[in-house]
Amino acid sequence: MRRIEIFDTTLRDGEQSPGVALNADEKLQIAHQLSKLGVNVLEAGFPIASPGDFEGVRRIAQEVRNVSVAALARANAKDIERAWEAISGAESPRIHTFIATSPIHMLYKLQKSPDDVLEQAIQAVRLAKSKVSDIEFSAEDASRSDVDFLAKVFSGVIQAGATVLNIPDTVGYATPEEYAAFLQSIMERTVGIEKVKVSVHCHNDLGLAVANSLAAVGVGVHQLECTVNGIGERAGNAALEELVMALHTRKDQFNVETSIVTAEIARTSQLVSRLTGMMIQHNKAIVGKNAFAHESGIHQDGMLKERSTYEIMSPSVIGIDVESIVLGKHSGRHAVQQRLTDLGLNLEEGRFEELFSRFKLLADRKKEVTTSDLFSLADEQKEKTDLINLDYLQVSSGTHLVPTATVGLMFQGQRLADAACGDGPVDAAFKAIDKVLGTQGKLIHYSLQALDGGEDAQGEVTVSVKFGENLVAGRGVSTDIIEASVRGYLQAVNRAFSRGWIEILEK
Ligand SMILES: [Zn+2]
């Protein structure tokens, strides 16, 4: 059976989602999981974009194995040198360089003639080839480009040494049949196409990213670019889990296979959602909370008699374990440790004892400690490396009271505290944090939901906060929703601080 390669760009295109700002540690954590998931190529970032991006790519290239690591570069010498510097330590490095080829992009954005664009593309690939053998070339906005011009550019870059040609639908404008026909005619007109791999990269502006990618499989492309949970610029990219499970479940139609370990899909999806702060809609295909839930009586009856009446794939295939061991206040060290290992949550030495005592406190407050609870406890331990931490929180609010909050924070070994009033207790607490730190966050988005089902579920708060021009997301979990809100806000503050977007006033 023909093998389709999965090129994951969660850490590059996905990280460009508004509000997402991952630090190098978080990127590394996702990269390790992507390697476990079995992606063939992992696009780690855009090194020229910022020192933080560079550092994230460099560490992934050095530490993550069993996967090709790609770095993005515009078609110029500076970008390519920087990309190469970042990925030279990788097991199999790939430089991914691009330039726009559509009339609209060449005229307005690049302000260059088609001949200049062709020349620049060839020069860029030649330079990249002097550093590494694996070169991917993307024609940005390919789907709105002239077929003959595009074929000319592709023929030129193949001769210059490109090994993968990417034909993206950058603006999500294509429709499946049209896109397939377009790809076909490019492949017919490009000289040397049989020597290289052909790739597609589809955006979801019309909700067609997955459909367009699958149409491309039909005309024989070799590589699909996608992101976990479909995150990315604007409406996002083709969702990895949807592509993989469509190819897997309908092998009879597509006749291809991937190297993805499907049992890692759910775990990867949850990790990406947690670290990016981008929530997954409940009815999202494959990984949404309701994707395997059956509500109507008729459906439930059918399921009890025979699962295949309403179930086209089993949740266990994507790694949702229906019968996981229940952890509660009687669970011992060993059971908790074992469950953490099963979930791939390996804590640093010494951190386990702290987690275990937090686990005991939580088990006293709720009957069952779920997988989501464990992930949150583990996150909390990781957050201990944050520079600003919550020391204490005290709130008063009620029908006839002015909501007031006092917040104590630990920053550089100092205990800082202040109080503020607000429209409500959450607002008061956020204002108190800003007062303590001398920051000015503007809350753009706030949402609260139960971490998982059941009446004793923990509250999960996600926030997007704007500091100056920069938007950053944060997430907090607690049995107390005000505390969850404060933890979410503090995560956003920590992220903004580690990126140099805010300054903390010395007291
Ligand atoms: Zn893209």
Side-chain angles (χ1 to χ4, degrees), residues 272-322:
V272 168
S273 171
R274 274 205 332 280
L275 294 185
T276 57
M278 301 263 301
M279 276 195 300
I280 303 166
Q281 84 201 50
H282 290 185
N283 61 330
K284 165 89 176 59
I286 318 294
V287 293
K289 205 172 178 172
N290 294 349
F292 294 96
H294 300 270
E295 179 69 29
S296 100
I298 297 173
H299 287 212
Q300 287 178 347
D301 180 57
M303 284 291 289
L304 289 171
K305 287 175 178 146
E306 165 58 44
R307 296 193 77 86
S308 63
T309 48
Y310 288 101
E311 197 172 83
I312 60 161
M313 54 197 163
S314 156
S316 64
V317 174
I318 65 158
I320 297 176
D321 47 345
V322 234

Side-chain angles (χ1 to χ4, degrees), residues 9 12-13 16 168-170 201-203 225 232-234 236-237:
T9 182
R12 202 277 300 164
D13 212 323
Q16 280 169 232
D169 181 28
T170 306
H201 174 112
C202 296
H203 275 272
E225 303 199 0
E233 285 275 8
R234 310 184 307 279
N237 289 65

Side-chain angles (χ1 to χ4, degrees), residues 186-258:
I186 289 168
M187 292 197 268
E188 281 161 10
R189 286 168 169 81
T190 301
V191 182
I193 194 88
E194 67 290 342
K195 291 184 286 192
V196 299
K197 289 178 192 159
V198 177
S199 168
V200 291
H201 174 112
C202 296
H203 275 272
N204 209 28
D205 298 69
L206 293 173
L208 293 172
V210 169
N212 285 334
S213 306
L214 293 175
V217 171
V219 295
V221 304
H222 309 87
Q223 174 181 285
L224 300 178
E225 303 199 0
C226 48
T227 60
V228 175
N229 300 336
I231 63 172
E233 285 275 8
R234 310 184 307 279
N237 289 65
L240 180 147
E241 63 279 2
E242 294 180 23
L243 284 176
V244 168
M245 289 313 290
L247 295 175
H248 180 88
T249 311
R250 299 308 309 275
K251 241 178 214 159
D252 60 321
Q253 285 290 311
F254 297 104
N255 231 335
V256 295
E257 58 184 12
T258 70

Side-chain angles (χ1 to χ4, degrees), residues 107-157:
L107 180 64
Y108 295 107
K109 191 180 80 172
L110 299 175
Q111 297 176 331
K112 284 199 154 110
S113 71
D115 281 344
D116 288 345
V117 167
L118 171 66
E119 188 49 33
Q120 197 178 331
I122 291 172
Q123 291 306 332
V125 171
R126 256 191 215 136
L127 173 65
K129 197 70 177 182
S130 70
K131 316 212 171 275
V132 64
S133 64
D134 194 10
I135 316 287
E136 174 163 337
F137 172 79
S138 282
E140 191 188 3
D141 204 15
S143 56
R144 293 192 300 174
S145 302
D146 173 74
V147 180
D148 290 311
F149 175 62
L150 202 52
K152 200 164 143 192
V153 173
F154 282 151
S155 307
V157 296

